[in-house]
Amino acid sequence: MAKYGKWIGAGLGFVMGGPLGALLGLFIGSTFDNITNAATPTGDNPASPNNGRGDFMFSLLVLATAMMKADGRIMRSELDYVKEFLKRNFGLEATQEAMGMIKKLSEQHIPLQEVCMQIRYNMAPASRTQLLYFLVGIAKADGNVCSHEIELLEQISDMLGIDKTTFNSIKSMHYDDLESAYRILGVSSSATDEEVKKAYRKMALENHPDKVSHLGEDIRKAAEEKFTQINVAYEKIKKQRNMN
């Protein structure tokens, strides 16, 4: 019987109920290592301890699977991207477990709106933003983000309670040009130097890896990639403007 403890980790809170709980039920019969039930989720405090590692990990797999299934079939490039991402950030053993869970989830109907709303009301903003960053990477895995994928990402972002500016910022992190650098900071190219500096400080604060450190060092390390993109964008704009 499969074991999923290495992937999920300790502490399951809000995912034990609702639509995520129904999907989690697919694996309850399997052996979980070191799984504990977190405090009963309140549903109205995304900064609470219910934002456990297990909640983030399972939500990540469910959303990743839903995203890959969006166009009717899961492409090899998408699976390869997910596998490499997981291996790089969580290790080989956890990745093997996760891919097994994705296979099983891919055979199920995922009520995306209900899942997103459950995550929205139980997960902290920084964690939701990290989930979206991962989904954009999946969409771009085949080298081309089609209009259907962009539309779906916008819908997911909205359902997760992520504002349009933040969505455009995350989407632009996967492109390397000056205009994308401005979008990453959430300003236009006509912004003043002071507006650019203010926007950078705001984005750096909101996206600092420490905001997801409670989910584990591996997730914090994964968040550093997004944080680095913000700094790279700022440096590119500074160079273009000759800013100090």
Side-chain angles (χ1 to χ4, degrees):
M1 191 173 289
K3 294 183 179 181
Y4 299 105
K6 296 293 183 183
W7 168 253
I8 292 291
L12 289 172
F14 72 84
V15 299
M16 295 293 285
L20 283 169
L23 293 170
L24 182 66
L26 297 170
F27 308 99
I28 292 298
S30 301
T31 301
F32 283 82
D33 297 331
N34 301 318
I35 289 297
T36 59
N37 188 16
T40 303
T42 62
D44 61 0
N45 183 11
S48 74
N50 299 311
N51 273 226
R53 177 183 173 83
D55 297 318
F56 179 89
M57 294 298 224
F58 191 67
S59 297
L60 175 61
L61 287 193
V62 171
L63 289 180
T65 304
M67 187 68 202
M68 289 189 289
K69 289 179 62 178
D71 55 3
R73 63 189 182 95
I74 297 180
M75 298 181 64
R76 171 54 57 182
S77 59
E78 293 172 328
L79 283 174
D80 287 344
Y81 173 88
V82 172
K83 187 174 183 178
E84 287 306 310
F85 174 90
L86 299 178
K87 188 188 303 181
R88 183 171 71 249
N89 293 288
F90 307 112
L92 180 60
E93 187 175 1
T95 297
Q96 291 172 338
E97 294 178 4
M99 296 308 290
M101 295 179 79
I102 286 175
K103 182 178 185 300
K104 202 163 187 176
L105 286 168
S106 68
E107 300 168 353
Q108 307 298 317
H109 168 67
I110 297 177
L112 187 58
Q113 182 173 356
E114 290 84 354
V115 164
C116 286
M117 295 304 289
Q118 184 178 3
I119 294 170
R120 174 175 180 169
Y121 290 114
N122 289 280
M123 188 177 288
S127 299
R128 283 181 272 135
T129 300
Q130 186 64 31
L131 289 176
L132 183 62
Y133 181 79
F134 181 48
L135 295 179
V136 174
I138 292 175
K140 198 173 182 292
D142 59 359
N144 178 45
V145 184
C146 67
S147 58
H148 172 70
E149 289 173 318
I150 290 294
E151 181 179 351
L152 179 60
L153 285 166
E154 289 178 336
Q155 291 173 357
I156 291 175
S157 177
D158 183 61
M159 288 186 289
L160 289 177
I162 297 173
D163 62 82
K164 185 72 172 179
T165 298
T166 301
F167 169 75
N168 286 330
S169 172
I170 294 173
K171 182 176 67 173
S172 298
M173 290 178 185
H174 293 271
Y175 298 90
D176 184 22
D177 59 83
L178 186 60
E179 190 58 38
S180 293
Y182 280 104
R183 285 195 293 267
I184 288 173
L185 297 189
V187 296
S188 70
S189 57
S190 62
T192 65
D193 289 356
E194 282 305 312
E195 288 172 334
V196 169
K197 292 177 181 178
K198 182 178 180 181
Y200 165 72
R201 289 192 292 268
K202 179 176 181 293
M203 291 297 294
L205 179 63
E206 292 178 352
N207 292 274
H208 197 282
D210 284 349
K211 287 187 174 292
V212 294
S213 61
H214 65 289
L215 300 175
E217 181 57 29
D218 45 9
I219 295 178
R220 184 192 183 283
K221 185 176 179 180
E224 288 179 356
E225 181 178 312
K226 175 162 57 70
F227 188 67
T228 297
Q229 293 295 328
I230 294 170
N231 284 288
V232 169
Y234 184 51
E235 291 301 320
K236 185 176 295 185
I237 293 172
K238 285 173 62 180
K239 182 178 180 180
Q240 185 259 342
R241 291 181 171 222
N242 292 316
M243 287 171 56
N244 295 323

